[in-house]
Amino acid sequence: MARVDTDRVHVLGVRHHGPGSARAVAAELERLRPDLVLIEGPPEADQLTGLVGEGLEPPVALLAYVPGEPARAAFWPFAVFSPEWVALSYAARNGVEVRFCDLPAAHTLAEPEAEPKPEAGEDSGGAASDCGGGAGPGAAEVPAPEGADTPLPAAAPDSGDEAERRVTDPLGVLAEAAGYDDPERWWDEVVEGRETGPDTPSPFPAIAEAMAAVRAELGTGLTGAAAEREARREAHMRQVLRKALREDHRRIAVVCGAWHVPALLEHPRVSDDTAVLRGLPKAKVAATWIPWTHGRLAAASGYRAGVRAPGWYHHLFTAPDRPVERWLAEAGRLLRERDHAVSSAHVIEAVRLTQTLAVLRGRPLAGLEEVADAVESVLCEGARTRAEVLHRDMVVGERLGSVPEHTPMVPLQRDLAAQQKRVRLQPSATPRDLDLDLREDNGRRRSVLLHRLRLLGVNWGTPQRGATGSKGTFRESWHLVWAPELDLSLIEAGVWGTDVESAATARVRARAAEADLPTLTALAEKCLHADLTDAIGGVLAALTARAAEDTDIERLMAALPPLARSVRYGDVRKSDSAALHRVAAQLLARVCTGLVPALTGLDDAAAAAMVKAVDAVQGAAVLLGGQAEADWLDALGAVAVRESAPGRVAGRANRILHDAGRLDDSALALRMTRATSRGVEPARAAAWLEGFLSGSGLLLVHDTALLEVVDTWLAGLSGEAFTEVLPLVRRTFGSFAAPERRAIGDQVSRLGEAAGSVEDDPADDLDPARAAPAVAAVAELLGVTAPVPA
């Protein structure tokens, strides 16, 4: 073994995505002023380093992929607090040459399929990834985007063998030697939490010495293919370093995972490294930058080199002075935005509590645990649920990076181009309308592609409702236009996957995790349209859970129609809609149970909204059919006769029951007579009629008995009452089409003619003198003046 010239080569061992490591790297680079910076990462991205100073905003990720095979890809994510990003930024600002020195992606992505590969986000070094082991700054092989929505284990399973655990966890060995039972806590306090400054000694010699001791005692802790892969990576790093030394660079800075530092300081013979790298498979690889998110940097996403709290680390890096105070002040602001009373005194007391907790726990500085305890105890006044929600939002601190427009094309764009060719649907800047017949295979494929793109926010096509005049579910109409900004939308959507289907699936899973009940049912409908079989199960599971917890009848009613439509679409699109039908039936049953209690105390605006909800649920119940529809009509039957129900809602319920055959003409006429009798407030009667007649007045044209009831009610109103209800009546009849209003007027005129043509009018047999006492009594009851007998 030969040791490199440490006067020319300075190896900075870091933890990927560590703010303390990042600050230390920044300080060391300013001190060293190197003329070459080598960074752990794929050399294929060397030509992309120029974009660092031209609009790249972290979190971003380097993406290497095999053209034509988007499933063969790997990501190297960077946040603003990643040491590698700090090194890239330093080189861009100072005009220093920068290269990546890890094993080329051309070799790693050409490995045979039979060889076991790491899980999403898993480093080949096991838990060594915590201090920088594995494939670069968290190289995450596909399906890394999906892993963010389907959490994977964050560490290797415990084998029960203490020696084995120690081998795969170098941080654990060092932490245990320092008297810590939590390796994360030890690293945070010793490295990430330390202050940096001009007079602060560099931590990198101590890190190198510690890692050398661990490797000398335990070795790499890897066997088989994993050991071979790690040996190839370190051999290639040494080859790149040797080449740089031959180029007579004055001072070289190497930024790599701390685990690799001993391997770069002690070199074997050149022939040994050459032998390790000989005969490696190779594939043609392209590379680009794509936007990334803090959520994908979190260890909870399944990313093995991830950190527990990316939002907290971002805060520590961007606010190095008084970070605890600033964090708690921000927590107080967020709580106030959510209508919780939090004062500056709360924040001051929370800061004092963090300091006290740190002292009691024997820690040099307050960390995230102390801050979380203070937020719950002081700012949230012991409300654990509120504190957990706030803590989760702040700890992840979700951010989406951005890339400049001239970034090379990502696999998602290539996959879309291939699918456009397959379905014979090429993009055009000229707007066009497209009608699809879903009974045809290519029509369905086109529809699926357009719906998937819409789920990704790539609105190439806009659905047109009723554009063809067809009401059948086998036909869709789209308005297509390709705008230049859609290419940028595709690049941004690349964070979700490398092909349209997997990206749409990952996006749906992420949305389902935060969606409310109506959004979930709409999402289920969109999944069915987009044929996302891998996502619909998770959406339905979330939907079932939300429905079981939600007690808001309006949200339940709003959630039902999209689900019922999805059941109908299942038949046309050849999809299995049995699970959708079951969930929809369960939702409808809860709506039926809670409908009557939900009608209490509704004002006019709320009643109008409820009528629309009732109409929507009626359409959904018809689509579901069978017992579900019967139960819904039974619930409407209870509403129709309930005096406390708003007039609009009761009237609408009676109309639906009549249209469904549950209420015959004579029974309906009797109910309308009661609803418009003198004992009912005119405003309620008008509202009842508005609910009953809303949407169509043809029933009055064809049913003379109902028209007579309405005519009699209007004719019998006093002048004051007529003035009161006139706006409501006008609103009701004004909503009818002109031909309907004309037909109703004709029917009313014929009613008068029919009444005047009756020869044997029963009123002719009336004796006014004998009837006078009865008339006077009724007049007194009604508060009107009795007519004087002739």
Side-chain angles (χ1 to χ4, degrees):
M1 287 284 184
R3 187 169 179 83
V4 298
D5 183 359
T6 53
D7 290 333
R8 293 180 61 194
V9 178
H10 302 267
V11 184
L12 313 182
V14 301
R15 178 187 186 179
H16 303 310
H17 320 307
S21 296
R23 286 196 299 270
V25 166
E28 192 71 2
L29 291 177
E30 290 292 342
R31 185 184 68 82
L32 293 173
R33 293 291 177 177
D35 55 352
L36 174 65
V37 177
L38 299 179
I39 300 175
E40 187 179 335
E44 288 86 353
D46 284 349
Q47 70 273 19
L48 300 174
T49 57
L51 294 174
V52 171
E54 298 183 7
L56 273 180
E57 294 184 10
V60 291
L62 282 171
L63 169 61
Y65 59 93
V66 178
E69 300 181 56
R72 299 172 64 186
F75 302 88
W76 284 259
F78 302 94
V80 69
F81 51 83
S82 299
E84 297 84 359
W85 178 260
V86 169
L88 286 169
S89 300
Y90 170 85
R93 286 195 311 271
N94 294 279
V96 176
E97 183 180 358
V98 60
R99 304 175 195 166
F100 290 102
C101 61
D102 206 347
L103 186 69
H107 297 315
T108 59
L109 295 180
E111 292 180 352
E113 292 295 329
E115 183 175 346
K117 291 188 177 183
E119 292 177 328
E122 179 181 3
D123 273 340
S124 58
S129 63
D130 290 339
C131 57
E141 297 190 12
V142 172
E146 183 173 342
D149 300 295
T150 306
L152 299 174
D158 189 355
S159 64
D161 188 331
E162 179 67 16
E164 179 65 20
R165 184 192 68 79
R166 290 164 58 94
V167 167
T168 58
D169 187 3
L171 288 186
V173 176
L174 296 173
E176 185 176 342
Y180 284 73
D181 57 358
D182 184 355
E184 289 275 345
R185 185 80 201 194
W186 172 79
W187 184 267
D188 284 346
E189 291 183 1
V190 173
V191 179
E192 305 302 341
R194 67 188 299 275
E195 296 182 359
T196 58
D199 300 327
T200 304
S202 171
F204 297 111
I207 292 174
E209 184 178 351
M211 290 301 165
V214 173
R215 289 184 66 137
E217 179 180 353
L218 304 176
T220 63
L222 300 173
T223 58
E228 294 178 4
R229 188 160 50 242
E230 196 72 2
R232 290 195 294 266
R233 293 182 59 223
E234 293 180 344
H236 187 270
M237 291 182 193
R238 288 190 291 265
Q239 294 282 49
V240 173
L241 183 55
R242 292 187 185 103
K243 179 181 177 182
L245 288 170
R246 290 196 298 270
E247 294 172 353
D248 293 330
H249 286 285
R250 179 178 54 83
R251 186 173 291 123
I252 302 171
V254 184
V255 180
C256 65
W259 182 249
H260 302 300
V261 172
L264 298 183
L265 291 176
E266 299 288 344
H267 285 203
R269 292 181 300 177
V270 175
S271 58
D272 293 340
D273 285 341
T274 303
V276 171
L277 297 171
R278 185 179 296 118
L280 290 180
K282 191 173 184 179
K284 182 179 180 181
V285 169
T288 188
W289 290 102
I290 64 170
W292 209 248
T293 66
H294 275 183
R296 301 299 178 86
L297 288 170
S301 71
Y303 173 37
R304 292 299 179 91
V307 293
R308 291 179 179 176
W312 171 251
Y313 274 13
H314 178 91
H315 175 77
L316 289 180
F317 186 74
T318 56
D321 60 314
R322 307 181 73 86
V324 172
E325 291 84 345
R326 293 177 183 273
W327 179 271
L328 291 172
E330 177 67 10
R333 185 188 67 81
L334 293 176
L335 286 170
R336 285 191 293 272
E337 285 184 354
R338 301 174 188 184
D339 296 327
H340 298 297
V342 178
S343 67
S344 56
H346 284 88
V347 176
I348 294 171
E349 190 60 34
V351 171
R352 291 173 177 168
L353 179 58
T354 60
Q355 296 169 349
T356 302
L357 289 174
V359 172
L360 291 174
R361 294 169 180 175
R363 293 168 179 171
L365 295 171
L368 186 57
E369 293 180 15
E370 289 74 34
V371 169
D373 290 341
V375 167
E376 178 180 341
S377 301
V378 181
L379 300 187
C380 295
E381 298 179 340
R384 174 165 295 183
T385 302
R386 186 193 312 166
E388 288 177 349
V389 172
L390 178 67
H391 184 72
R392 182 176 64 248
D393 292 345
M394 293 187 68
V395 162
V396 174
E398 192 60 274
R399 294 173 182 269
L400 175 66
S402 62
V403 298
E405 295 184 6
H406 53 280
T407 303
M409 184 177 290
V410 298
L412 186 60
Q413 294 172 292
R414 299 182 184 277
D415 181 66
L416 176 58
Q419 292 200 45
Q420 288 169 336
K421 185 176 181 180
R422 191 177 307 124
V423 301
R424 301 189 299 278
L425 190 63
Q426 294 303 313
S428 171
T430 303
R432 57 174 292 202
D433 292 324
L434 178 68
D435 292 332
L436 300 178
D437 189 339
L438 302 182
R439 295 170 297 185
E440 299 176 354
D441 290 340
N442 198 52
R444 282 197 303 276
R445 286 196 292 266
R446 288 180 170 185
S447 173
V448 164
L449 176 60
L450 293 172
H451 279 294
R452 287 175 177 175
L453 289 175
R454 285 182 64 80
L455 284 169
L456 290 170
V458 182
N459 297 319
W460 176 19
T462 304
Q464 303 296 298
R465 300 296 182 186
T468 63
S470 172
K471 295 183 180 180
T473 57
F474 61 84
R475 187 171 296 277
E476 277 186 355
S477 297
W478 294 81
H479 182 72
L480 302 182
V481 58
W482 187 269
E485 58 267 21
L486 294 181
D487 284 310
L488 182 59
S489 297
L490 276 173
I491 293 175
E492 293 173 347
V495 68
W496 300 107
T498 56
D499 60 81
V500 175
E501 181 178 4
S502 66
T505 298
R507 181 73 180 103
V508 165
R509 288 173 174 169
R511 291 180 60 186
E514 303 294 336
D516 58 13
L517 191 58
T519 304
L520 277 173
T521 54
L523 204 56
E525 183 181 25
K526 292 174 182 177
C527 284
L528 198 63
H529 294 176
D531 193 24
L532 297 178
T533 55
D534 289 341
I536 188 66
V539 173
L540 287 180
L543 177 59
T544 303
R546 298 281 201 288
E549 299 171 357
D550 206 322
T551 58
D552 190 319
I553 188 67
E554 293 182 4
R555 281 201 295 266
L556 293 173
M557 296 176 78
L560 186 59
L563 207 55
R565 289 195 300 268
S566 299
V567 174
R568 167 70 64 88
Y569 264 98
D571 298 332
V572 178
R573 298 170 180 270
K574 300 181 180 180
S575 303
D576 182 9
S577 58
L580 291 173
H581 193 286
R582 287 193 297 272
V583 176
Q586 293 170 4
L587 272 181
L588 183 56
R590 295 197 63 200
V591 170
C592 293
T593 303
L595 181 61
V596 172
L599 300 179
T600 304
L602 298 183
D603 59 15
D604 185 66
M610 181 58 71
V611 167
K612 292 182 179 179
V614 166
D615 283 339
V617 174
Q618 167 63 15
V622 170
L623 290 177
L624 295 176
Q627 187 60 43
E629 182 181 6
D631 292 342
W632 168 245
L633 293 176
D634 289 341
L636 289 182
V639 172
V641 297
R642 191 175 182 85
E643 294 183 0
S644 62
R648 280 194 189 188
V649 181
R652 195 61 189 161
N654 279 281
R655 175 63 179 272
I656 293 174
L657 292 171
H658 176 266
D659 292 346
R662 287 287 191 99
L663 199 61
D664 58 30
D665 292 344
S666 59
L668 177 60
L670 179 60
R671 289 189 181 184
M672 182 178 286
T673 302
R674 291 174 179 170
T676 57
S677 65
R678 284 184 176 272
V680 178
E681 288 287 337
R684 176 177 171 81
W688 195 99
L689 284 175
E690 182 177 11
F692 180 82
L693 297 174
S694 63
S696 174
L698 289 177
L699 186 61
L700 295 181
V701 177
H702 299 295
D703 195 324
T704 307
L706 295 181
L707 184 59
E708 286 182 351
V709 172
V710 176
D711 183 61
T712 301
W713 171 67
L714 284 172
L717 291 174
S718 66
E720 182 180 350
F722 183 80
T723 302
E724 179 184 351
V725 302
L726 181 59
L728 300 178
V729 175
R730 182 180 179 87
R731 184 172 66 187
T732 300
F733 283 84
S735 65
F736 301 156
E740 291 183 0
R741 294 198 301 269
R742 188 164 49 250
I744 292 172
D746 292 342
Q747 283 294 82
V748 171
S749 64
R750 283 195 289 272
L751 284 177
E753 293 173 0
S757 65
V758 176
E759 297 180 358
D760 299 326
D761 191 343
D764 293 341
D765 298 330
L766 178 66
D767 186 344
R770 294 179 62 186
V775 172
V778 172
E780 185 176 357
L781 290 173
L782 297 177
V784 298
T785 303
V788 179

